[in-house]
Each structure stands twice: as C-alpha cells, then as structure tokens.
Amino acid sequence: MNENTIITVATTGAWPTKEHNPAIPLTPREIADDVFECWQAGAAIAHLHMRDDEGKGTMDIGKFRETVGLIRERCDIVLNLTTSGDLNATDETRMMHLVELKPEMASYDCGSMNWAHSTLFINHPHFLEKLGRVMIENGVKPEIEIFDAGMYYNSEYYLKQGVLKAPAYYQFVLGAPGGTTATVENLVYLRGLLPKDAHWSAIDIGRGHMPILMTAVAMGGNIRVGMEDNVLYAKNRLAASNAEFVYRAGRIVSEANRQVATPADARATLDLRTA
C-alpha cells in the first residue's frame, strides 16, 4: 500500500452554477485562483473543466489555454484536463487541447451511459480508440473513469489492444444518476476488480461523498473532492470554497496515519511525464 494519498480537486465541472453555490469558480481567472488556493491546501492534482461566457460547459481550447497558463505561472499542481466538458462537443474538440497543451493527465471516460436520466453520455468505441492513441502520442496519462463495472472491463480490452498503456490509473465515479450508486459495498466490489497493485481513486457525486472518501482512504486509495461533485460541504451548508473540501480531506488522510501526497509524489506514483 502506498503511504501517500493523492487528493484531486475538481473545482468546476460542467453543470453547477453560481445559483447552486456562489463560490464556484467559472472564469479562467476564478478557476486559476481557486486551484492555487487548493494547491496551498494540499491538493496534488486539479481536474479542470471550462465554462463559456454564459457559464455553460465548453471544450473551447482558448479557455483551456488561458486557464492552464494562469495556473502554471503560480504553482506546480498536476493538471488533469477533462475530455468531456460539453455533451455537444465533437471528437476533435474533445482532444485538441491535449495536443496543444500536453497536460500530464486527462480524463478517459471508458464507456457510454444514460446521463442524469435525461440525456446520453456518448463515448463511442471509435472515439475511445482515437483518444487513447492521442494520449499516448502526447505523453498524457489517462485517468480511466469508471462509472460501472462494464467500463472497467472496457478498459481491460483497450489495455490489451494497446490503446491504453499499463500501469493504468482508475477513478471510480459513484453516485452519478445512470451510473453505480455510491455505497461502500459498491466501492469495495469495484476495487476488487482491479489488479492488487493498481493505483485508483474514488469520488461520490452527492450526499454519499463522506463515506466514499473515508472508505477510499481506509482501503489505501486516493480521493477526489470539489464543487464539480458537491456544492454542499455538509447537510444544509454550502461549501465556502473548494479549498475547504481539500483541507478536510487532508485532515482525514492524516488521521488515518497516511501522508498527503505532494504534486511531486503524485508524479512519481503515477509515473507522469513532467510538465
């Protein structure tokens, strides 16, 4: 078991708005300032989504370019860029920022699903093959997003085909409507599918985030927090900032007699190409 626990902060996402929580960062400057605060609080990785000028999710490369530049001026946090920030984006716009900006990490959603019981989240096999190869060509580490067990088995197939490279890094995304419910039992089951030495992380979208966070730490996994997944810090209490989530996660890691990973630790653990 690795003695370090990597804390990823997902600051923004594609859906929450200022109406849900006034503290959520939406502009490049707001996101960059927020990420800097989270880095100071102990986050090793920042998972980034962009918003357009109306606050809607976008894959606009200009927004990524500006935000990444502002962050890299101020800190050494590992950057993990989304490839699924807009359900209407084309295959090309979902990948072009990886080629230009070459982040150390990016999300790889390993299958399609019904999303929020209202629409479809499409990750066509042909797209996943292209995305995996683009990541390999540009030295980008995939964070393999697992919303259900079928997505894990998809990842096994792509590893065998050379579309993904070992060692892989997995993110269990629990609690998304249309995906696996966030329970401790489900997390234990999904973790049991992985190789024993695999590096992994877990999140919950919604009210189950604390049991999932604490279970992941207890099982030797890594964790993700932030307003992409929860705008509430506790029942009936909005989060004051993303850094507030990171500080709490760090306290839990410390109480479990583990160390909060630095960005350098995360790069070494995940075998990342340095920025």
Side-chain angles (χ1 to χ4, degrees):
M1 181 186 297
N2 196 306
E3 293 182 357
N4 294 325
T5 299
I6 298 168
I7 300 174
T8 294
V9 63
T11 61
T12 304
W15 312 111
T17 67
K18 298 282 189 182
E19 293 180 357
H20 297 112
N21 187 324
I24 191 166
L26 299 181
T27 68
R29 174 60 68 180
E30 287 176 344
I31 294 170
D33 288 346
D34 191 278
V35 167
F36 180 69
E37 292 177 2
C38 291
W39 171 76
Q40 292 179 309
I45 300 175
H47 176 62
L48 301 183
H49 282 249
M50 296 296 111
R51 302 295 186 93
D52 65 18
D53 293 339
E54 296 179 352
K56 297 178 181 179
T58 181
M59 294 302 297
D60 178 4
I61 193 169
K63 297 290 187 183
F64 278 105
R65 186 186 299 121
E66 180 180 359
T67 306
V68 167
L70 289 169
I71 293 169
R72 284 179 171 164
E73 289 174 357
R74 301 179 69 184
C75 66
D76 69 340
I77 198 166
V78 176
L79 296 183
N80 175 349
L81 305 187
T82 188
T83 61
S84 58
D86 177 2
L87 293 179
N88 296 312
T90 66
D91 289 359
E92 288 68 29
T93 55
R94 292 178 67 177
M95 296 185 291
M96 64 193 322
H97 60 313
L98 306 185
V99 177
E100 177 179 327
L101 301 175
K102 293 181 171 48
E104 293 171 81
M105 300 181 70
S107 60
Y108 186 93
D109 298 280
C110 210
S112 300
M113 60 186 288
N114 291 342
W115 185 261
H117 308 300
S118 60
T119 188
L120 298 175
F121 181 28
I122 301 297
N123 294 288
H124 193 284
H126 293 166
F127 169 70
L128 291 177
E129 291 179 10
K130 289 189 292 184
L131 178 61
R133 298 188 193 285
V134 165
M135 288 183 168
I136 290 172
E137 290 167 4
N138 290 277
V140 179
K141 178 86 171 188
E143 182 184 71
I144 301 172
E145 309 289 328
I146 305 295
F147 288 79
D148 59 39
M151 292 192 185
Y152 169 71
Y153 291 112
N154 285 344
S155 76
E156 279 198 332
Y157 169 79
Y158 290 122
L159 282 162
K160 291 176 182 177
Q161 296 299 312
V163 173
L164 297 174
K165 291 176 62 176
Y169 182 55
Y170 303 90
Q171 180 75 263
F172 296 125
V173 184
L174 304 176
T180 300
T181 301
T183 66
V184 170
E185 293 81 3
N186 283 341
L187 177 57
V188 172
Y189 165 70
L190 290 170
R191 170 61 185 94
L193 300 177
L194 305 186
K196 289 185 178 180
D197 60 349
H199 293 294
W200 60 278
S201 175
I203 65 171
D204 167 60
I205 299 173
R207 67 184 65 184
H209 66 282
M210 286 301 292
I212 295 302
L213 186 155
M214 290 187 284
T215 302
V217 172
M219 293 174 66
N222 303 296
I223 50 180
R224 181 175 115 175
V225 298
M227 290 191 207
E228 175 175 347
D229 308 320
N230 296 283
V231 296
L232 293 172
Y233 184 79
K235 186 176 181 180
N236 299 323
R237 208 271 263 177
L238 290 173
S241 67
N242 277 304
E244 185 176 37
F245 284 119
V246 177
Y247 279 120
R248 179 169 66 183
R251 292 194 298 271
I252 291 170
V253 169
S254 296
E255 289 294 336
N257 293 317
R258 294 172 61 79
Q259 300 294 317
V260 175
T262 65
D265 293 330
R267 290 183 173 100
T269 296
L270 302 181
D271 191 25
L272 302 180
R273 171 194 56 77
T274 56

